[in-house]
């Protein structure tokens, strides 16, 4: 059974930072795309960042380029999303996903439970 366990959400003021973590079961982590998506209240879920764990290719949504960094720790089967210079519009539930392709949301079948991020102005 695939498990994706997220952590690291919380509440911060605008301009602050948070780091999200997503740990996957071994076979799901290796040589796979892992991605972060987010869904704000009343809005559709959107892609944030993705990384290919077998080669390090990354994609970012334009709205987070230069502020967010996705990275991996192969020893821990974990992908991180470092979020800096947070804005109120980054407030959302953040979901980790694995086994899809880049930021193509519909290609992902494995999802975590989500971790909430709230940015106050």
């Amino acid at each position: 059974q695939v498990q994706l366990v997220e952590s690291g959400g919380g509440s911060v003021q605008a301009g602050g930072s948070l780091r999200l973590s997503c740990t996957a079961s071994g076979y799901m982590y290796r040589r796979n795309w892992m991605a972060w998506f987010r869904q704000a209240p009343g809005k559709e879920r959107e892609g944030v960042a993705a990384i290919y764990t077998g080669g390090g290719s990354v994609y970012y949504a334009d709205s987070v380029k230069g502020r967010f960094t996705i990275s991996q720790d192969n020893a821990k089967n974990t992908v991180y999303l470092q979020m800096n210079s947070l804005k109120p519009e980054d407030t959302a539930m953040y979901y980790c996903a694995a086994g899809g392709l880049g930021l193509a949301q519909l290609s992902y079948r494995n999802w975590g439970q989500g971790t909430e991020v709230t940015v106050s102005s």
Side-chain angles (χ1 to χ4, degrees):
Q1 182 177 355
V2 174
Q3 269 196 318
L4 296 172
V5 180
E6 302 133 323
S7 62
S11 298
V12 295
Q13 290 191 323
S17 298
L18 284 172
R19 188 178 78 159
L20 307 183
S21 301
C22 175
T23 300
S25 51
Y27 80 94
M28 180 51 61
Y29 177 87
R30 288 186 290 271
R31 294 195 177 95
N32 248 327
W33 281 96
M34 291 186 67
W36 288 96
F37 293 84
R38 67 185 180 186
Q39 187 167 20
K43 295 188 176 181
E44 292 186 353
R45 190 161 55 186
E46 62 177 359
V48 176
I51 187 166
Y52 180 66
T53 62
S57 297
V58 297
Y59 289 124
Y60 292 99
D62 288 343
S63 59
V64 306
K65 282 179 182 176
R67 300 188 299 122
F68 291 10
T69 302
I70 191 168
S71 62
Q72 61 189 98
D73 184 335
N74 293 340
K76 297 181 179 179
N77 289 353
T78 297
V79 168
Y80 301 100
L81 185 68
Q82 178 67 43
M83 305 186 294
N84 297 328
S85 302
L86 282 161
K87 305 175 181 180
E89 50 263 44
D90 294 317
T91 295
M93 185 72 78
Y94 283 70
Y95 297 93
C96 176
L101 180 63
L103 288 176
Q105 184 176 166
L106 296 179
S107 70
Y108 286 87
R109 295 289 180 266
N110 303 292
W111 294 83
Q113 79 286 357
T115 185
E116 193 164 7
V117 172
T118 303
V119 185
S120 57
S121 58

